[in-house]
Amino acid sequence: MGTPINFDTVLRTEGKEKRIDSKENIFQLELQGYHLFPLHQVIDITRAKDTDEIGRAIIVELTLKEERTICTYQLVSLSSVN
């Protein structure tokens, strides 16, 4: 049986991101299941599925284990604070 995996080009946070380095604007987000994102490329960030972009980020690290994905990203621009 194969392993389900999602290929994503937009990072959807649902407000669950955690700041891990305030100087460099580094955040970490844990997602259920396996997700692949483009690494070291600027991608859009949204809060929810059908909402507008709130910023742009660069994924710097992905860890896939135990049916979850830990995504570490650097926020490079912010469109809105809400």
Side-chain angles (χ1 to χ4, degrees):
M1 185 167 146
T3 300
I5 194 161
N6 295 309
F7 294 93
D8 299 305
T9 57
V10 174
L11 183 61
R12 187 174 50 202
T13 67
E14 297 177 359
K16 297 178 183 177
E17 69 277 5
K18 295 178 185 173
R19 183 184 296 265
I20 59 173
D21 183 344
S22 59
K23 247 183 155 177
E24 298 293 324
N25 282 329
I26 305 292
F27 292 82
Q28 199 167 68
L29 177 65
E30 186 172 325
L31 303 166
Q32 293 299 317
Y34 296 118
H35 298 262
L36 288 181
F37 294 91
L39 291 172
H40 309 291
Q41 301 291 319
V42 178
I43 64 169
D44 294 338
I45 303 174
T46 64
R47 287 264 185 218
K49 187 174 183 176
D50 293 320
T51 60
D52 291 335
E53 168 194 320
I54 60 166
R56 298 183 51 85
I58 296 173
I59 307 291
V60 294
E61 181 178 78
L62 286 176
T63 304
L64 291 86
K65 67 179 185 179
E66 299 173 358
E67 297 186 24
R68 62 190 172 102
T69 301
I70 299 170
C71 177
T72 305
Y73 64 93
Q74 181 178 26
L75 183 67
V76 294
S77 70
L78 187 61
S79 303
S80 169
V81 294
N82 292 329

